Amino acid sequence: MKKLNKKLLLSAGALAVFNLSCTKLNEDLYGSKYVDKGGAATSADLGGVYSQLNGFNDQANWYALSEHSSDEMMGPTRGTDWDDFGTWRKLHQHTWDPSHNQIYDTWNNLNIGVYRATSVIAKAADNQTKAEASFLRAFFMYWVVDFYGQQPFREVTDDPDANPRVMTRKEATDFMIKDLEFAIANQTTKDPGKGNKYAAEFLLAKIYLNKAVFYQDPATAAGPYTFQKADMDKALGYLNDIINNGGYTLTPNYYDNFKWDNTTASKEIIFARQNDPNVGQNASVENRTRMGMHYNTTPDGWNGFTTLAAFYNSFEDNDIRKKYNLPGYTDKTGHNVGFLVGQQKKYDAQGNLVNVLDRSGNPLVFTPNVNLGYATEAEGIRVVKFALNPANYGQSGNDYVFFRFADVLLMKAEAILRGGTDAAQPLALVNQIRANRGATQLANLDLTALLAERGRELYWESWRRNDLIRFGKFNDPVDQRETKSAGYRVVYPIPQRAVDSNPNLKQNFGY
């Protein structure tokens, strides 16, 4: 209990410091004064834009908005643990409002990233720096557009007393496309820790796949959507360049994409926030594992988030994405990677594999079913995807993966199914992935089957909400949300404080 509460207090403190340290910049976002100090952009300026990616490592905010609202994650309250005034439950049950704390904090983090990138672009003395900053601006803007449906924006030359103008979702989409086209034309690096050419192509493919969603009238944001062949063909062009010229391939062991040495072990990483614990390059992603692990497991955790039983049951037993004994990890911790269900094990001080006990001294048995409002400490299936380094769990070197090659193949299959022209067969593309992951070959493929496969391949990687919306399934009932949610929930509200600060912002339909 104390360990979890300490973690929550630390998180709250960090948020408080963040809000205080960024007060002036937040005012800039909403229409207060902004004064550019001039001078050419430096490497430190560009580094400041990259540092804004550290906000993506947290289990809250951007990550929570992407996952807790979907059919693959929930954050049950356990006694007094993880209640947090209902912030997690509201996301899962689609009952958030414009005052939701994580909707506000995510808005701030993303828009600060857009602003910092815009400043670097305006002052960059070379196209390489400008290209990296243009990619980063599009990356932050993509999530603003996806989550909120509109984009406040200010050039550094704008009147500092004027409120930022606001782009519509369509305008912001077209703006991102131009940024990314510039990034591709002026970028040569393949460094996955930088805004490289193939990362820009990946994000452009995402935009064209989602263009029907982003161009939709706000009053009918939930669709149905009309996907244009021209958009699918554009996506295929970028995806094929990644496939043919990027040098990426499916990693032989799925979990090498996520474990502590994925910097070198993965063959799939296109863009990631790199993590060198020796130099403190950025915060560790250890929360991705600890947020679900129990206090008494190895490594220990905060006994929080779970997956849903229906999502777990969508995997075949022979699919290593469901369960795998990872060498160098399972033999040190006593448990598999993937999904944890049933009696939990660990090694004692003598090296014996023993049962993990709960806080009352009873065997710790993770159960498929979980009550979102009041769960016991053992309820819920846990997930270990980013396996931490057993040599030092608290200083693990996992890079946090944003874009990887398997998604390129899945996007290509989708673009073809939605009308794009290509010689490849979507079924063959998906079965290529399934063969690598130990799953049986599919006999046929349609959009429903593809959505399911995207879930199995990309679970807990922050794409599920985005996927469910595009496939028209986001509002469907799931466990602990028994009725279909309102269509307008496919877009989050603009935080009320932002609306109050900038009259150019208009609250989204339905809120």
Side-chain angles (χ1 to χ4, degrees):
M1 180 79 70
K2 291 182 179 179
K3 188 174 295 182
L4 178 60
N5 287 342
K6 180 180 179 182
K7 174 68 182 179
L8 292 175
L9 287 171
L10 287 171
S11 298
L15 284 172
V17 171
F18 175 84
N19 283 335
L20 286 171
S21 65
C22 295
T23 297
K24 185 176 186 301
L25 188 53
N26 289 345
E27 289 176 354
D28 297 340
L29 294 177
Y30 305 145
S32 189
K33 294 185 177 181
Y34 175 85
V35 178
D36 178 57
K37 296 180 180 179
T42 66
S43 58
D45 292 324
L46 186 58
V49 187
Y50 279 109
S51 71
Q52 201 64 27
L53 295 172
N54 292 343
F56 288 69
N57 285 341
D58 197 282
Q59 72 268 16
N61 302 331
W62 167 80
Y63 186 72
L65 266 60
S66 299
E67 290 290 351
H68 281 268
S69 59
S70 78
D71 62 354
E72 65 180 26
M73 184 182 289
M74 69 171 79
T77 298
R78 304 179 190 277
T80 58
D81 290 344
W82 294 101
D83 178 68
D84 299 318
F85 305 102
T87 185
W88 314 103
R89 294 195 306 274
K90 290 173 183 177
L91 290 177
H92 184 71
Q93 295 180 322
H94 292 192
T95 58
W96 56 75
D97 62 30
S99 66
H100 192 281
N101 63 313
Q102 297 196 50
I103 291 174
Y104 171 74
D105 291 338
T106 305
W107 170 269
N108 280 352
N109 184 65
L110 295 175
N111 279 301
I112 290 170
V114 172
Y115 258 37
R116 285 180 172 171
T118 299
S119 179
V120 171
I121 291 167
K123 299 188 294 181
D126 63 279
N127 279 347
Q128 173 68 32
T129 299
K130 188 174 180 180
E132 285 188 56
S134 294
F135 166 79
L136 290 169
R137 180 166 68 180
F139 181 80
F140 285 107
M141 190 176 288
Y142 179 89
W143 294 105
V144 177
V145 169
D146 183 50
F147 286 163
Y148 303 102
Q150 50 186 295
Q151 174 67 65
F153 189 79
R154 183 200 295 278
E155 296 284 5
V156 296
T157 55
D158 288 348
D159 182 350
D161 289 321
N163 289 310
R165 69 185 176 94
V166 176
M167 299 184 202
T168 66
R169 210 177 197 189
K170 181 179 182 299
E171 290 170 339
T173 299
D174 294 340
F175 190 94
M176 288 187 289
I177 290 172
K178 291 180 180 178
D179 260 355
L180 292 168
E181 289 173 344
F182 178 86
I184 292 169
N186 293 276
Q187 181 66 281
T188 58
T189 180
K190 189 188 168 185
D191 184 349
K194 302 293 184 182
N196 64 78
K197 171 188 174 182
Y198 297 111
E201 290 187 327
F202 183 105
L203 188 53
L204 266 171
K206 281 286 183 191
I207 289 172
Y208 279 107
L209 277 179
N210 285 279
K211 196 174 177 184
V213 179
F214 292 168
Y215 270 34
Q216 189 79 7
D217 185 278
T220 57
Y225 310 115
T226 302
F227 296 89
Q228 302 294 332
K229 181 183 184 304
D231 293 335
M232 299 303 105
D233 287 340
K234 289 286 287 187
L236 286 167
Y238 294 117
L239 296 168
N240 283 331
D241 190 58
I242 297 171
I243 293 169
N244 296 329
N245 300 310
Y248 304 100
T249 186
L250 291 175
T251 303
N253 188 315
Y254 179 69
Y255 293 98
D256 282 350
N257 293 311
F258 313 104
K259 68 188 182 79
W260 58 92
D261 60 352
N262 61 344
T263 302
T264 55
S266 174
K267 309 300 181 185
E268 296 189 32
I269 299 176
I270 299 172
F271 179 55
R273 184 59 174 145
Q274 293 180 320
N275 177 27
D276 184 348
N278 297 315
V279 298
Q281 184 168 340
N282 74 292
S284 173
V285 298
E286 63 177 298
N287 63 70
R288 292 295 188 270
T289 293
R290 292 191 189 271
M291 65 189 186
M293 297 297 287
H294 189 269
Y295 318 109
N296 297 336
T297 54
T298 304
D300 62 355
W302 311 324
N303 206 38
F305 307 155
T306 76
T307 195
L308 281 65
F311 184 77
Y312 170 80
N313 290 332
S314 71
F315 290 78
E316 297 175 325
D317 288 340
N318 56 318
D319 191 333
I320 67 169
R321 297 172 297 188
K322 183 178 186 180
K323 182 178 181 180
Y324 179 71
N325 291 330
L326 180 65
Y329 182 82
T330 301
D331 53 306
K332 299 293 193 299
T333 65
H335 63 78
N336 59 275
V337 289
F339 296 92
L340 305 184
V341 64
Q343 174 63 57
Q344 297 307 295
K345 303 280 188 178
K346 68 178 180 180
Y347 289 97
D348 64 15
Q350 290 72 44
N352 301 310
L353 190 62
V354 299
N355 287 340
V356 178
L357 305 180
D358 65 18
R359 288 178 291 181
S360 298
N362 300 312
L364 179 66
V365 181
F366 291 152
T367 62
N369 296 321
V370 58
N371 186 305
L372 183 64
Y374 188 85
T376 67
E377 62 185 281
E379 286 184 20
I381 300 169
R382 315 308 167 88
V383 175
V384 177
K385 194 164 188 177
F386 283 84
L388 302 179
N389 188 351
N392 190 337
Y393 297 113
Q395 290 292 324
S396 196
N398 313 60
D399 292 348
Y400 189 75
V401 182
F402 293 117
F403 303 163
R404 61 184 179 89
F405 183 66
D407 198 1
V408 171
L409 299 179
L410 291 169
M411 284 195 286
K412 181 172 180 176
E414 181 181 346
I416 298 170
L417 286 176
R418 295 197 188 277
T421 300
D422 195 274
Q425 296 297 315
L427 179 61
L429 292 168
V430 170
N431 277 336
Q432 178 183 349
I433 297 172
R434 289 179 63 81
N436 179 276
R437 312 317 192 200
T440 60
Q441 299 287 278
L442 297 177
N444 50 66
L445 184 74
D446 58 13
L447 288 171
T448 298
L450 181 61
L451 176 63
E453 193 61 32
R454 287 191 60 82
R456 288 186 286 265
E457 177 64 25
L458 301 169
Y459 68 90
W460 286 38
E461 293 182 53
S462 307
W463 291 114
R464 191 58 174 171
R465 172 189 168 275
N466 180 271
D467 288 345
L468 289 172
I469 291 171
R470 189 172 66 258
F471 283 78
K473 298 295 183 182
F474 179 72
N475 305 104
D476 289 357
V478 297
D479 185 22
Q480 310 293 295
R481 190 176 74 239
E482 291 77 17
T483 59
K484 188 178 181 71
S485 64
Y488 66 84
R489 295 286 179 181
V490 300
V491 178
Y492 286 111
I494 306 300
Q496 191 58 48
R497 280 189 276 182
V499 175
D500 292 343
S501 300
N502 183 354
N504 292 330
L505 287 164
K506 305 301 180 186
Q507 188 55 268
N508 284 327
F509 177 81
Y511 294 103

